Amino acid sequence: MRLGEPVEWALHCTTVLALLPADGALPASKLAEFHGVPAAYLAKALQSLSRAGIVESVPGRNGGYRLGRPPAEITLLDVVEAIEGQESSFRCTEIRKRGPARVSPRLYLPVCAIADAMYRADEAWRAELRQTTVADLLQQLATSVPAEAVMKGAAFLQEVFR
Amino acid sequence: MRLGEPVEWALHCTTVLALLPADGALPASKLAEFHGVPAAYLAKALQSLSRAGIVESVPGRNGGYRLGRPPAEITLLDVVEAIEGQESSFRCTEIRKRGPARVSPRLYLPVCAIADAMYRADEAWRAELRQTTVADLLQQLATSVPAEAVMKGAAFLQEVFR
DNA sequence: GTCCCTATACTCGGATAGCAAGTGTCCGAGTATAGGCGG
DNA sequence: CCGCCTATACTCGGACACTTGCTATCCGAGTATAGGGAC
């Protein structure tokens, strides 16, 4: 089970966008430069975030991306599901209904005990991701990111909005 | 994020093997027939379970697979990790240390707040899978699998051991 | 009749192709801005 | 000097190749069994 790289990018980009001035907008190319990731591919992830309403795109010159709603209202699950989709990690192909022991389909319960347990674990994962918001991340990052890195980041943003 | 199909197969096969007589062994081909899945590919999953000690292989004629330890000592996590590996679902490529805001590597904390939250969710998923054992599954299946399917399954096994 | 040996058939195990999805890239559509022109 | 218009440059958005990993398969190594032969 593996999450794609764009998930990491999307999470970092969301936190950076949360630090922007209220009416500012950061282009995808700058976000890519800031994180050292391929710009064209990162754009795909940002489009997914845009479709999900997590960020909103500002077209035209001086355009870019900004947050679509307050950081406190964006959970990590929102971001992850925007990129990876909402399907469960476990795929039940109903093999219990195949083979020589199969019986009439209407005799089976909707979900077997195995799928039920797997879905429960999936929900536990989602519940944990739902508990952390981007606002929480900002608070933690404020005390954990090296001061020098904060200054460099601020300088980079000021250069963009100059 | 998607788990492979072999995960589902491995879980079902493990429950079936738990129903075997103590010194019996069911070949991979019969397990494949029972579940209606490709035998050659299922064999790969069973080999993974064997390497993990969850099942043990009996070579030679009348050989096959049997459980490696009591059902109560096999958690769903054991089975899932045997197939999918133990790596976290979230891959942190440390993009925080790239780009124009990077500073000397020794200034960073071991894990950033984002990775920490993702790892926490991953652990919640694992914790949930750890709580259910194959013995639990058997108990639930005993009351939820259609009686007719149970009979057909038993008949299939008796035919094999005849 | 009993023991031993050999040949057999069946098992697992790892090495080998095909395909779908993740990864990476590009070019076109659309818009706010900046400059120039006219009033 | 002010307002309007036009051209421009920059943005996002979706359509197009490539690589990795999942899916699927096969053949070889090893072993317990079954049968036959010798004692």
Side-chain angles (χ1 to χ4, degrees), chain A residues 1 3 8 84 89 91 93, chain B residues 1 3 8 84 89 93:
Chain A
M1 182 165 70
L3 292 167
E8 182 188 10
E84 290 281 322
S89 59
R91 288 179 291 168
T93 60
Chain B
M1 181 166 72
L3 293 166
E8 182 188 10
E84 290 281 323
S89 59
T93 61

Side-chain angles (χ1 to χ4, degrees), chain A residues 1-5 7-9 11-12 15 33-37 76 80 84 87-96 98-104 107-109 112-114 116-118 120-122 124-125 128-129 132 137 140-141 143-146 148-150 152-153 156, chain B residues 1-5 7-9 11-12 15 33-37 76 80 84 87-96 98-104 107-109 112-114 116-118 120-122 124-125 128-129 132 137 140-141 143-146 148-150 152-153 156:
Chain A
M1 182 165 70
R2 258 183 24 161
L3 292 167
E5 289 194 82
V7 170
E8 182 188 10
W9 305 348
L11 288 168
H12 281 267
T15 61
E33 182 186 351
F34 187 86
H35 292 111
V37 298
L76 295 196
V80 173
E84 290 281 322
E87 305 89 34
S88 167
S89 59
F90 179 72
R91 288 179 291 168
C92 180
T93 60
E94 297 292 350
I95 63 176
R96 62 175 172 161
R98 307 214 286 259
R102 70 178 175 282
V103 295
S104 170
L107 295 178
Y108 291 99
L109 293 179
C112 71
I114 291 174
D116 186 57
M118 295 301 292
R120 215 161 44 230
D122 199 78
W125 179 71
E128 187 65 35
L129 288 179
T132 305
L137 288 182
Q140 295 174 37
L141 289 170
T143 62
S144 63
V145 172
E148 189 184 347
V150 172
K152 283 191 175 182
F156 177 84
Chain B
M1 181 166 72
R2 259 184 20 160
L3 293 166
E5 289 194 82
V7 170
E8 182 188 10
W9 305 348
L11 288 168
H12 280 268
T15 61
E33 181 187 351
F34 186 86
H35 291 112
V37 299
L76 296 196
V80 172
E84 290 281 323
E87 304 90 33
S88 167
S89 59
F90 179 73
R91 288 178 291 168
C92 180
T93 61
E94 297 291 350
I95 63 175
R96 63 176 172 159
R98 308 214 285 259
R102 70 178 174 282
V103 296
S104 171
L107 295 178
Y108 292 99
L109 292 180
C112 72
I114 291 175
D116 185 58
M118 294 302 292
R120 215 160 46 229
D122 199 76
W125 179 72
E128 186 66 35
L129 288 180
T132 306
L137 288 182
Q140 295 174 38
L141 289 170
T143 62
S144 63
V145 172
E148 190 184 347
V150 173
K152 283 190 174 181
F156 178 84

